[in-house]
Amino acid sequence: LRSILRDRGGFGSLLATSGRMSPASTLRELLPLLAPGASFIIHSPYLSAVSEACAWMHENRLAVNLSVFDTFLREHQALPNRSHPHMNATPSQSGGYFVSGVKCNSTTNR
């Protein structure tokens, strides 16, 4: 698979979730399979794990346009002439955290 990808220049994008592995470990394995300029996004339920992956990529100049964000969701009640958010915040309202970016060319990232 790696030789086929090397001949074709790599994948054009990556979408992954890191359930048991850390996002940094997932990226260490999968980032070399991406073509330069490829977009990626990795999900984790833990902010610290996503922040660690983002810092690792930034320090090693592996990606640009790095972003860390969450997927907080709050339902709203909409009635005539009034609306308000439901105020019962539960942990299930957060779908986790994401790190996204664009892979740099490995020959020019140092």
Side-chain angles (χ1 to χ4, degrees):
L1 181 62
R2 288 184 190 266
S3 63
I4 294 170
L5 287 173
R6 223 175 279 121
D7 294 342
R8 294 185 181 179
F11 288 111
S13 62
L14 171 68
L15 170 66
T17 183
S18 56
R20 294 185 183 179
M21 290 179 64
S22 73
S25 297
T26 302
L27 284 166
R28 279 186 198 101
E29 293 295 322
L30 298 178
L31 208 58
L33 302 177
L34 291 177
S39 299
F40 62 87
I41 186 165
I42 305 287
H43 169 266
S44 175
Y46 308 107
L47 177 59
S48 60
V50 167
S51 298
E52 176 189 318
C54 185
W56 173 75
M57 286 184 291
H58 180 72
E59 289 167 4
N60 292 292
R61 298 180 181 181
L62 299 172
V64 295
N65 202 20
L66 289 167
S67 297
V68 173
F69 55 95
D70 69 348
T71 59
F72 181 76
L73 171 68
R74 175 171 280 164
E75 293 183 14
H76 284 74
Q77 180 183 29
L79 299 170
N81 298 321
R82 62 184 172 175
S83 64
H84 63 85
H86 289 285
M87 299 307 289
N88 55 347
T90 60
S92 65
Q93 288 178 323
S94 175
Y97 300 91
F98 295 89
V99 60
S100 67
V102 177
K103 181 186 175 187
C104 290
N105 188 341
S106 60
T107 60
T108 60
N109 67 352
R110 297 266 175 210

